[in-house]
Amino acid sequence: MIESAIEALTIVLDPSRLIYMFLGIGIGIIVGLLPGLSGTVGMALLLPFVFGMDPYVGIALLIGMVAVIQTGDTFPSVLLGIPGTSGSQATIMDGYPLAQQGKAAKAMGAAFFSSLVGGVIGGIALFLTIPFAEPLITAFSSPELFMLTMLGLSMTGLLAGKSVFKGILAGLVGLLLGAIGSAPAVPEYRYTFDSLYLTQGLSLPVVAMAIFAFPIIITMLTDKKKVTEAAKLEGGALQGVMTSLKNKFLMARSAVVGVIIGFIPGLGGSVVDWIAYGFGKKTVKNNTFGEGDIRGVIAPESANNAKEGGSMIPTLLFGIPGSGTTAILLGGLTLMGLEAGPSMITTNLDVTLSIVWTLVFANIFGAILCLMLIRPISKLSTISGELIVPFLLVLLVIGAYQSSLSWGDLVVFVLIGLFGYVMTILDWPRPPLLIGFVLAMSAERYYWISIERYGWEWITNPLVIVLAVVILVLLTGGAIMKRFSQKVESGGES
């Protein structure tokens, strides 16, 4: 294991791959600092460009971006009181009051250093999980893999926000979209409507960009709000770093919470920051959370970045995407010729370990870069959304068309994009749709292989029964954790 880790380190440190990692870090910071964007949108923008890429280069680009989005989103959260992403809502509770007190630099210094520590802990957690997961994963056959896809699909309920029914329906729509084209078990085409373009099925990059990025474009054009004043930048970032070091145990506790929440598929995102914030509020003595307590910044920021390492565990080792971002990452692996699951710790162990190293390095370099760019980026974060739209639109159109160099991709992009916008208006969750789309083919393939090999006897397989119980436990536990986070959020907003 140690030898493989050293080999992966040499791969990651290759200059050509470092360039792509730094490119991903730069994109991740930009996506994070622009209010309204998210990791899912950023991943959707990059996904078309990793098609056919060398896996190590593509991983460096994607993971480099994902690792630092939760770092870059601190800028608008602290300076403007606007969440850069859904995972930075709790940071506003104390970050923005600190900025109003003229302590924005101190708040961001503490936030960036906490993000660095949390990200490194998340990467270590992923590394330590691999040896324990290997004996279990290598024992999986088609019935167990089918149950794992069912576990992933069951997460649509947890990703549904307040309505489980909406999440399930969105997941079913994703399954239908994923069923378009050739069937994996029988020689026939489905839902093609005599269109040659549809015989190949819908492109994952096009669907991902349409369902997440397209609605953001429309929202930016229709939203006329513009922040005209940024908070003062007084004090020093180094002071915030020293404050974080004084609260090292709070950082460590929050990071562990982030890893655990990230590991549970369907949680994370806007949940982890509120849970970490509430946990910190309960465990820190003499706190003034909500009034400008810097510890109220340290807790959620540390958990946010640690969550990424935790979420990689079910995504890479079990093929279970627990969020929209990890669902797109799963698709990105497919585009690069990789498949999440047992192969990621056997034949592709070096790729998995390169992800661990990239997570760690990206968090370190990303945090350092943010510390250096506090003043100039604070000015960029006030740019009106209308000015950003042309740049994003060009990227989206190029990305959609280059997926298969077919005009059909642009038509699908617009149609599904409009559907995604309607979902946002009606408050329907979009991540379940993408998860259903990503897992549709795998679920059907593993199901037919299980039936052909074992008949219906595979249902009595002990490991299949265990996975069924795990599904029930995670759904029940996830629902309880979600209710807890909602109580904390409502308490914080009151």
Side-chain angles (χ1 to χ4, degrees):
M1 186 71 175
I2 300 298
E3 293 179 359
S4 299
I6 295 174
E7 182 182 351
L9 177 60
T10 59
I11 293 173
V12 171
L13 293 179
D14 182 273
S16 62
R17 289 159 188 151
L18 282 176
I19 291 173
Y20 279 92
M21 183 180 73
F22 280 108
L23 177 61
I25 290 172
I27 295 173
I29 291 175
I30 293 173
V31 170
L33 71 90
L34 296 175
L37 300 186
S38 65
T40 311
V41 174
M43 288 284 279
L45 289 170
L46 289 182
L47 196 58
F49 301 99
V50 302
F51 179 74
M53 222 181 227
D54 172 60
Y56 300 106
V57 173
I59 288 296
L61 181 63
L62 293 178
I63 301 299
M65 188 207 68
V66 170
V68 300
I69 285 178
Q70 304 299 335
T71 305
D73 64 5
T74 302
F75 284 108
S77 299
V78 172
L79 291 170
L80 312 173
I82 302 172
T85 66
S86 61
S88 63
Q89 297 174 45
T91 304
I92 295 175
M93 301 303 297
D94 290 278
Y96 190 55
L98 282 168
Q100 291 176 314
Q101 297 168 18
K103 301 176 182 178
K106 179 181 178 181
M108 288 191 288
F112 295 145
F113 186 76
S114 300
S115 296
L116 185 158
V117 172
V120 171
I121 290 177
I124 293 173
L126 175 58
F127 176 76
L128 295 177
T129 303
I130 295 173
F132 297 100
E134 183 173 1
L136 177 64
I137 292 180
T138 53
F140 283 3
S141 57
S142 57
E144 291 82 10
L145 292 172
F146 171 72
M147 289 303 296
L148 285 176
T149 59
M150 290 298 99
L151 179 57
L153 289 171
S154 68
M155 293 305 104
T156 56
L158 291 178
L159 291 171
K162 298 179 181 178
S163 175
V164 175
F165 177 72
K166 290 181 178 180
I168 293 174
L169 279 184
L172 291 175
V173 172
L175 284 174
L176 287 174
L177 293 175
I180 294 175
S182 59
V186 291
E188 66 178 24
Y189 294 101
R190 301 172 300 194
Y191 313 123
T192 59
F193 307 103
D194 297 324
S195 169
L196 183 62
Y197 167 76
L198 292 178
T199 58
Q200 300 299 317
L202 299 182
S203 168
L204 172 63
V206 173
V207 173
M209 288 190 298
I211 204 68
F212 286 104
F214 192 89
I216 292 294
I217 293 291
I218 299 178
T219 302
M220 285 183 170
L221 289 174
T222 57
D223 190 356
K224 300 298 182 182
K225 293 181 180 179
K226 181 180 178 181
V227 180
T228 55
E229 268 186 311
K232 294 180 180 179
L233 283 173
E234 298 178 359
L238 183 60
Q239 189 179 0
V241 173
M242 298 305 297
T243 303
S244 296
L245 287 173
K246 292 179 182 178
N247 292 277
K248 52 185 177 295
F249 295 114
L250 174 62
M251 277 195 299
R253 288 197 305 269
S254 301
V256 172
V257 169
V259 170
I260 295 173
I261 299 303
F263 176 76
I264 302 175
L267 295 183
S270 60
V271 178
V272 66
D273 63 325
W274 287 113
I275 292 178
Y277 187 83
F279 185 71
K281 190 174 183 179
K282 295 292 184 182
T283 56
V284 174
K285 296 180 180 179
N286 303 319
N287 70 78
T288 55
F289 276 36
E291 301 175 13
D293 192 324
I294 198 165
R295 293 171 294 182
V297 174
I298 293 172
E301 288 299 318
S302 178
N304 268 342
N305 283 50
K307 174 208 69 178
E308 299 302 332
S311 66
M312 294 294 171
I313 297 173
T315 302
L316 296 175
L317 306 187
F318 299 98
I320 304 170
S323 66
T325 302
T326 52
I328 298 178
L329 175 62
L330 202 60
L333 294 176
T334 303
L335 293 176
M336 291 182 286
L338 302 172
E339 184 175 358
S343 64
M344 294 302 291
I345 57 173
T346 53
T347 56
N348 294 317
L349 177 60
D350 51 347
V351 176
T352 302
L353 292 175
S354 72
I355 291 176
V356 174
W357 284 115
T358 304
L359 267 177
V360 172
F361 287 142
N363 274 285
I364 294 174
F365 294 137
I368 293 173
L369 184 60
C370 284
L371 285 168
M372 295 170 58
L373 298 178
I374 285 179
R375 291 183 180 274
I377 288 186
S378 66
K379 299 176 182 178
L380 293 175
S381 61
T382 60
I383 295 176
S384 172
E386 297 175 72
L387 302 178
I388 304 170
V389 167
F391 171 72
L392 288 179
L393 197 56
V394 170
L395 283 180
L396 290 172
V397 171
I398 293 175
Y401 182 71
Q402 81 122 29
S403 180
S404 65
L405 299 180
S406 170
W407 291 106
D409 283 335
L410 295 180
V411 175
V412 170
F413 172 71
V414 173
L415 292 178
I416 296 183
L418 291 172
F419 179 68
Y421 181 64
V422 172
M423 290 180 72
T424 60
I425 294 176
L426 300 178
D427 195 26
W428 280 63
R430 290 169 291 165
L433 186 148
L434 188 62
I435 288 178
F437 180 81
V438 170
L439 295 179
M441 196 64 71
S442 298
E444 187 174 2
R445 181 172 66 251
Y446 291 137
Y447 171 77
W448 282 109
I449 293 175
S450 300
I451 293 295
E452 291 176 0
R453 285 184 178 178
Y454 311 103
W456 290 104
E457 293 182 4
W458 64 271
I459 297 178
T460 60
N461 185 312
L463 194 50
V464 169
I465 296 174
V466 170
L467 287 172
V469 173
V470 169
I471 291 174
L472 294 176
V473 171
L474 284 180
L475 286 174
T476 304
I480 293 173
M481 295 291 280
K482 181 169 288 190
R483 282 199 296 269
F484 172 73
S485 67
Q486 289 173 349
K487 288 181 181 179
V488 174
E489 182 176 356
S490 61
E493 292 176 345
S494 61

